[in-house]
Amino acid sequence: MVEAVQDAGVVVTGAGGGIGAALARRFAAEGARVVVNDLDGEKAKAVAEEIGGIAVAGDASAIVGDARDALGGTVDVYCANAGVAFEDGGAGGPLDERSWAVSWDVNVMAHVRAAHELLPDWLERGRGRFVSTVSAAGLLTMIGAPSYSVTKHGAYAFAEWLSLTYRHRGLKVHAICPQGVRTDMLAATGSAGDLVLHPTAIEPEAVADALFRGIGEDRFLILPHPEVAEYYQARATEPDRWLSGMNHLQRKWEEAR
């Protein structure tokens, strides 16, 4: 058991399946009281009933108040997990206005809005925990998905900003950055996902395991795929070599389509 989450009030957005459901199950197993949020109310209810949690359906950008009420007035841990992904960078180019707008709203602004609601109480109490499900795309990038890549960089940058700004006031922040995870979102990535993500894809439960190791070690950056650290270092220290390697993947993807 991780003492930091025992009897904690936890909110997990996008928890009707995939990584979110795995996080909700793990927090419940560790003794937390869990609000399960999803746009799909039936999915949220099913997971909540399974773990003895509370279902709160709705847009992840606007459920902090309802979730707080459901937990008796206090949120101790907020998992900003809800996300969207589009394959929008093929032959038609990178500009798909709808995918950019939705990606920005869900992948970045939902985190900002939640933090805005949560911070006053957390700073007054001197403690709180914000968990951001980012993606390795937020450290690196993803072929064929410009709006996903850019907004996941934004989500990671916001998590960094929260940590550097408020860690001395008791805020703990964790950014989870996996590569492929066997979820419906991975299935929807199409041929680009088949090429880049499927070969090393892991189960959602492995992501939850990685998060809890990170909580136990008080680590900001959570890498369920440890090799991402090497890719991230290469991107920073040898950007042209790294870009050439990614361009090789891009050309391989184009040839296979």
Side-chain angles (χ1 to χ4, degrees), residues 2 18-27 30 131 133 176 178 181 202-216 222 224:
V2 176
I19 293 173
L23 294 178
R25 292 184 183 108
R26 182 60 181 271
F27 274 105
E30 295 284 341
V131 179
T133 300
I176 311 174
V181 182
I202 59 177
E203 296 297 331
E205 290 74 19
V207 178
D209 289 343
L211 172 62
F212 272 78
R213 286 194 298 272
I215 290 174
I222 311 297

Side-chain angles (χ1 to χ4, degrees), residues 15-16 21 24-25 28 34-37 40-56:
R25 292 184 183 108
V34 182
V35 164
V36 179
N37 161 257
D40 188 322
E42 290 303 311
K43 289 184 177 180
K45 182 180 178 182
V47 174
E49 288 178 349
E50 174 193 339
I51 67 173
I54 307 164
V56 175

Side-chain angles (χ1 to χ4, degrees), residues 185-205:
M185 184 178 286
L186 177 61
T189 58
S191 56
D194 291 340
L195 176 64
V196 178
L197 302 175
H198 275 279
T200 59
I202 59 177
E203 296 297 331
E205 290 74 19

Side-chain angles (χ1 to χ4, degrees), residues 140 228-238:
L140 307 171
V228 169
E230 297 176 15
Y231 305 153
Y232 189 36
Q233 184 177 31
R235 175 179 175 268
T237 59
E238 299 183 85

Side-chain angles (χ1 to χ4, degrees), residues 44-123:
K45 182 180 178 182
V47 174
E49 288 178 349
E50 174 193 339
I51 67 173
I54 307 164
V56 175
D59 188 326
S61 286
I63 55 89
V64 170
D66 289 343
R68 183 187 286 123
D69 291 343
L71 290 168
T74 301
V75 175
D76 299 296
V77 182
Y78 189 89
C79 299
N81 173 77
V84 294
F86 300 94
E87 184 180 301
D88 51 7
L95 182 60
D96 178 328
E97 293 280 3
R98 177 183 176 277
S99 70
W100 278 98
V102 173
S103 297
W104 181 254
D105 195 64
V106 177
N107 294 346
V108 180
M109 292 309 299
H111 298 205
V112 176
R113 294 177 187 122
H116 179 73
E117 292 292 321
L118 292 161
L119 278 169
D121 180 58
W122 283 353
L123 296 179

Side-chain angles (χ1 to χ4, degrees), residues 82-256:
V84 294
F86 300 94
E87 184 180 301
D88 51 7
L95 182 60
D96 178 328
E97 293 280 3
R98 177 183 176 277
S99 70
W100 278 98
V102 173
S103 297
W104 181 254
D105 195 64
V106 177
N107 294 346
V108 180
M109 292 309 299
H111 298 205
V112 176
R113 294 177 187 122
H116 179 73
E117 292 292 321
L118 292 161
L119 278 169
D121 180 58
W122 283 353
L123 296 179
E124 182 178 345
R125 289 194 291 142
R127 65 183 185 277
R129 192 177 300 270
F130 193 93
V131 179
S132 178
T133 300
V134 183
S135 167
L139 298 175
L140 307 171
T141 194
M142 177 60 189
I143 62 172
S147 63
Y148 182 76
S149 298
V150 171
T151 56
K152 286 299 187 176
H153 274 267
Y156 183 76
F158 184 63
E160 276 191 329
W161 183 86
L162 283 176
S163 183
L164 68 89
T165 303
Y166 298 113
R167 61 169 46 205
H168 67 293
R169 298 182 65 180
L171 180 60
K172 306 288 188 180
V173 183
H174 307 280
I176 311 174
C177 297
Q179 288 189 293
V181 182
R182 296 187 185 100
T183 64
D184 290 343
M185 184 178 286
L186 177 61
T189 58
S191 56
D194 291 340
L195 176 64
V196 178
L197 302 175
H198 275 279
T200 59
I202 59 177
E203 296 297 331
E205 290 74 19
V207 178
D209 289 343
L211 172 62
F212 272 78
R213 286 194 298 272
I215 290 174
E217 297 167 5
D218 198 22
R219 277 189 288 109
F220 168 77
L221 181 56
I222 311 297
L223 297 177
H225 294 80
E227 62 269 27
V228 169
E230 297 176 15
Y231 305 153
Y232 189 36
Q233 184 177 31
R235 175 179 175 268
T237 59
E238 299 183 85
D240 287 297
R241 182 179 179 184
W242 179 80
L243 285 167
S244 292
M246 290 300 293
N247 180 251
H248 174 75
L249 282 176
Q250 173 71 22
R251 286 181 283 131
K252 188 174 180 179
W253 177 50
E254 291 176 5
E255 290 165 3

